[in-house]
Amino acid sequence: MEPIVRVENVKKSYKKRKGDSVVKAVDNISFQVHKGEIVGLLGPNGAGKTTTIKMICGLLKMDEGKIIVNGLDNNRHRLKALNHISAVLEGNRNLYWRLTVRENLEYFAGNRGKSRKQIQPKIDHLLELFHLKDKENELVNRLSRGMQQKLAIAVAMLADTDIILLDEPTLGLDVETSYEVRDILKQIVENEERTIIISSHDMGVIQAVCERVIIINHGKVVTDNRVEELMELFNARQYSITLGEPLSEQQLAQLNACFPSYSYDANQVKPNLVVELLSPDQIYQVFDILKQDGTTVENIDRNLINFEQVFMKIIKGEADYELDSSVSS
Ligand SMILES: Nc1ncnc2c1ncn2[C@@H]1O[C@H](COP(=O)(O)OP(=O)(O)OP(=O)(O)O)[C@@H](O)[C@H]1O
């Protein structure tokens, strides 16, 4: 099936203010998103996420490459392609501050050609979903930042476009509102056939709502994989081993040579060793090192790691696995 968004060999550089030097914000990236998917676009600060999102929604021109939205090349058919997209960009909530919550929803629905009457049931549904019903007659400039953010996302949902782009939807929100936005997004994903691309540093949101993540670093795609697979991959690798006796200097040197990211704590009730394995067979290599000095193993646990730790490993280049581009092709 033809993907709904196809980003092909896209490049974008910015000129620095002083001199002729340029920043390669996006350096030849390609990825695809299929209809109904919810994909996280991740990366450290300055990785190129916002630049990518702005190019997908036609706010920024790319230097090279192309982006196809629902079969339309957004270099050549920008306005038509944009009809398929709603975006909530970071720091730009595009709301009318002197209109009420309900008026904003009505206004933006009208912009998309919907009559006031036709749209009321959908507005009521969104007000309930976003817990904004009791604020429907409040002016937007009297709402908290979190409520404004929820309203901006509700406006994007109302447009009924195929694709929704959310740049940092929980940035700057308190923990409670951030959880609320996460839950609302989860419900939308479960109940609606929308294609959503979310850029976020909030790994909790990503883990809760995204099926797949595309991780960008220094303007390049470094990972394109299902969240579940990444979790499984890293989970399978980290083992915590409780030892009967402390390790010798020689054993530690060997562990360091074979498993440089190991950690060892001799100060617990029983000495504890944590190793990360590239393949399950490597556990036998660990056992061999332990056996040399007769160290006994009292217990082995597979450590559960969260998505934030997985992300950090990928970004730090600790992940030693093949980039799986097959999921998006
Ligand atoms: N208008 C601009 N002019 C010059 N450089 C820019 C401009 N916008 C972004 N950049 C640079 O391009 C690179 C990518 O920026 P971008 O905002 O796309 O990253 P990001 O992944 O969204 O970062 P963050 O997580 O901090 O929002 C950075 O080095 C940034 O400094």
Side-chain angles (χ1 to χ4, degrees), residues 120-170:
Q120 293 309 319
K122 184 98 197 251
I123 289 182
D124 287 330
H125 166 71
L126 287 170
L127 288 171
E128 293 288 345
L129 180 66
F130 283 83
H131 309 135
L132 287 170
K133 188 77 187 148
D134 59 337
K135 298 284 174 194
E136 64 177 321
N137 297 318
E138 195 82 66
L139 290 178
V140 164
N141 62 9
R142 300 233 179 98
L143 297 181
S144 69
R145 193 187 155 102
M147 289 174 197
Q148 288 168 3
Q149 181 68 347
K150 287 195 293 179
L151 179 58
I153 301 173
V155 165
M157 295 297 156
L158 186 64
D160 260 347
T161 51
D162 302 307
I163 304 151
I164 295 162
L165 302 178
L166 301 175
D167 195 9
E168 292 287 359
T170 56

Side-chain angles (χ1 to χ4, degrees), residues 29-239:
I29 65 166
S30 301
F31 62 84
Q32 304 178 351
V33 178
H34 292 273
K35 199 170 163 51
E37 258 196 310
I38 173 149
V39 172
L41 196 58
L42 317 182
N45 288 130
K49 305 177 295 291
T50 302
T51 303
T52 304
I53 286 199
K54 284 187 175 166
M55 288 190 290
I56 296 175
C57 63
L59 284 176
L60 205 56
K61 253 181 123 44
M62 61 204 86
D63 299 334
E64 282 179 47
K66 61 179 169 184
I67 297 178
I68 311 288
V69 176
N70 217 3
L72 296 159
D73 183 334
N74 80 352
N75 280 325
R76 288 192 288 151
H77 308 283
R78 185 172 161 271
L79 289 180
K80 274 192 182 164
L82 290 195
N83 272 337
H84 294 278
I85 299 179
S86 313
V88 181
L89 301 179
E90 188 206 321
N92 176 7
R93 294 199 187 93
N94 263 346
L95 299 170
Y96 280 97
W97 289 59
R98 289 174 188 279
L99 295 182
T100 66
V101 168
R102 184 177 274 277
E103 285 164 351
N104 261 278
L105 288 162
E106 286 173 350
Y107 172 78
F108 285 104
N111 265 1
R112 296 266 181 180
K114 304 257 164 59
S115 78
R116 206 162 166 251
K117 200 168 164 210
Q118 183 189 13
I119 203 70
Q120 293 309 319
K122 184 98 197 251
I123 289 182
D124 287 330
H125 166 71
L126 287 170
L127 288 171
E128 293 288 345
L129 180 66
F130 283 83
H131 309 135
L132 287 170
K133 188 77 187 148
D134 59 337
K135 298 284 174 194
E136 64 177 321
N137 297 318
E138 195 82 66
L139 290 178
V140 164
N141 62 9
R142 300 233 179 98
L143 297 181
S144 69
R145 193 187 155 102
M147 289 174 197
Q148 288 168 3
Q149 181 68 347
K150 287 195 293 179
L151 179 58
I153 301 173
V155 165
M157 295 297 156
L158 186 64
D160 260 347
T161 51
D162 302 307
I163 304 151
I164 295 162
L165 302 178
L166 301 175
D167 195 9
E168 292 287 359
T170 56
L171 187 75
L173 304 185
D174 62 31
V175 176
E176 199 184 337
T177 318
S178 169
Y179 269 98
E180 201 186 332
V181 169
R182 179 192 304 191
D183 283 344
I184 294 169
L185 291 175
K186 243 174 126 173
Q187 284 185 50
I188 292 165
V189 172
E190 280 159 17
N191 301 325
E192 297 189 33
E193 252 277 295
R194 309 293 281 268
T195 308
I196 305 181
I197 302 175
I198 302 183
S199 137
S200 184
H201 288 283
D202 183 341
M203 295 304 148
V205 169
I206 297 294
Q207 192 173 355
V209 303
C210 293
E211 297 162 354
R212 178 160 64 96
V213 288
I214 294 162
I215 302 182
I216 303 182
N217 202 7
H218 303 300
K220 291 181 183 296
V221 174
V222 293
T223 295
D224 180 345
N225 217 327
R226 298 200 174 278
V227 173
E228 240 174 51
E229 279 171 32
L230 288 174
M231 293 300 293
E232 187 51 38
L233 198 67
F234 285 89
N235 250 341
R237 290 178 176 187
Q238 198 177 67
Y239 289 88

